[in-house]
Amino acid sequence: MTQVEPQFHSRRFFLTATSVAAVLQFGCAKDALETDANIQRASKTFKMGERASVGLLTYSVLESTYFTQLGDQGKVRLAEKRFLVIRLSITNGGGKEAEIPLFRLVDNQGVETPELQEAEFLSGWFGIIRKVGPTMTEEGRILFDVTPKNYKLEVSDGGETGKEQLAFIEIPMDFDTAEPIPAAGQGIPSAPAAQK
């Protein structure tokens, strides 16, 4: 009997180890499938300036500019890294109002950075609650605080989280020496007047 017990224990250990390995492998396979599904849903990539259609919504990134600070002299906001201001338009080609979720940037390593949710100081800011009426086009700015490099802006059809259609718009790194955008209500910087 003493010889049977060690075999029983080693067999039970083998079965337990095999079960744990199977569960871990299934979990990894499930994660890989979810990642593959996300990649398939977000397989469309557009260049900045192109019209990026996702479902009934069409996005167009008009410009992107990095700033170290934003606002006017009385209300200057300093970036932790750099402010990336993206000006874009959104067209709703559907027959009902569409809600636009907050945006995310994705770098080449897949690291995601969410849009800043408190940017009242940014002139032309889209705001937190965004709705685009049927057959309407809205234009505005969104704000990120990121390290300057190449990114992709993730856009969606506004569908249910996890089931929405996704696409990317390339945001290449580009430095601009423009003056900081004034605080909300102060207007957009205008081109300097021609000298006579």
Side-chain angles (χ1 to χ4, degrees):
M1 241 181 170
T2 55
Q3 290 181 350
V4 174
E5 283 183 25
Q7 289 177 351
F8 176 74
H9 287 304
S10 63
R11 184 175 291 159
R12 188 168 55 180
F13 174 77
F14 175 76
L15 291 174
T16 302
T18 305
S19 298
V20 169
V23 168
L24 290 174
Q25 185 174 13
F26 174 75
C28 292
K30 183 181 175 201
D31 289 345
L33 288 174
E34 288 175 2
T35 301
D36 289 346
N38 288 340
I39 290 170
Q40 286 177 352
R41 286 189 299 128
S43 61
K44 297 180 189 175
T45 300
F46 300 88
K47 294 191 182 305
M48 196 168 103
E50 291 181 344
R51 294 172 56 82
S53 294
V54 188
L56 297 174
L57 298 176
T58 301
Y59 298 84
S60 183
V61 172
L62 307 171
E63 67 179 327
S64 65
T65 311
Y66 284 97
F67 297 95
T68 55
Q69 65 182 36
L70 289 173
D72 58 15
Q73 292 182 355
K75 297 179 181 178
V76 172
R77 303 290 177 105
L78 299 175
E80 287 182 25
K81 298 171 185 167
R82 287 279 180 102
F83 284 129
L84 173 57
V85 177
I86 298 176
R87 184 169 63 95
L88 71 155
S89 69
I90 306 169
T91 301
N92 179 1
K96 62 180 183 178
E97 186 175 66
E99 291 190 24
I100 311 300
L102 293 174
F103 294 93
R104 291 185 293 195
L105 285 179
V106 182
D107 69 12
N108 291 337
Q109 285 73 43
V111 176
E112 298 179 347
T113 303
E115 173 187 353
L116 293 180
Q117 296 184 32
E118 296 179 9
E120 298 84 6
F121 57 90
L122 177 64
S123 180
W125 181 48
F126 255 122
I128 293 289
I129 300 173
R130 306 167 178 149
K131 296 182 179 182
V132 181
T135 67
M136 300 292 292
T137 298
E138 298 289 336
E139 185 178 313
R141 290 182 169 86
I142 57 176
L143 184 64
F144 297 89
D145 193 343
V146 292
T147 302
K149 57 183 167 180
N150 294 327
Y151 290 99
K152 291 182 181 178
L153 179 68
E154 183 184 87
V155 296
S156 83
D157 67 348
E160 182 182 338
T161 303
K163 297 181 180 179
E164 73 273 38
Q165 294 179 36
L166 301 173
F168 290 120
I169 301 174
E170 293 176 350
I171 310 293
M173 184 174 66
D174 186 24
F175 288 99
D176 193 319
T177 56
E179 293 297 315
I181 295 175
Q186 298 295 313
I188 303 299
S190 57
Q195 296 186 0
K196 295 181 180 180

